[in-house]
Amino acid sequence: MYPKIILELKKKITESNVIMSFIGPFSQGIIEEIGRALREYMKNDKNLNTPSNNVFSVFIEQSQNIKNYERILTAEEKNHVFLESILLIGKSDHKYFISSGNIIKKEDMQSLKEYINKINSLSKDEIKLLYKKRLKETFKSKTGGAGLGFLEMAKRASEKFEYDFIKLDEKYYYFILIIKV
């Protein structure tokens, strides 16, 4: 890597209002370290106008979603996927944003898209009701979770989810999720 590229990257990151970023395999240790750095950053943010727990919860849920999805992949897929995941945390217009990107299998894309669209169509009260209903169910998602992560993020988000699926090849898409708090 050339020194000029470092400077260009720094400029692009700064212009995009990104305050933290990570690219690579997500482990519990990595999530904890980023979480500590995020808490420290927010502790010193004199213009913080949202509960820091909202930002932190969305960060945890997005990171866990990536980590849990990586867990269900085959060893061959993991080698491909681990190097591709990204998490960006930033602040723009007095709101924090937590953005993630990771590879997702084509077969999982449609159901995820429908689920996000459903959540985006709900009011905050409807999201809370669905969350409580899910708590009482014994539902287990494909990744082993209770399916509460996206609902938890929707409860704390200040806007509807922004997302996209970008086709990489016949088997994989790149899933991008942006949540503002």
Side-chain angles (χ1 to χ4, degrees), residues 100-116:
S100 62
N102 62 294
I103 289 178
I104 185 169
K105 291 180 183 179
K106 179 182 177 183
E107 65 204 47
D108 296 329
M109 183 194 69
Q110 191 59 38
S111 61
L112 180 57
K113 186 177 182 177
E114 289 171 6
Y115 188 53
I116 292 172

Side-chain angles (χ1 to χ4, degrees), residues 49-72:
N49 58 0
T50 187
S52 61
N53 282 344
N54 286 352
V55 176
F56 193 76
S57 291
V58 171
F59 153 72
I60 290 293
E61 292 299 336
Q62 268 186 289
S63 300
Q64 292 290 343
N65 282 347
I66 293 171
K67 183 176 154 266
N68 290 341
Y69 193 78
E70 289 174 349
R71 196 177 57 202
I72 65 167

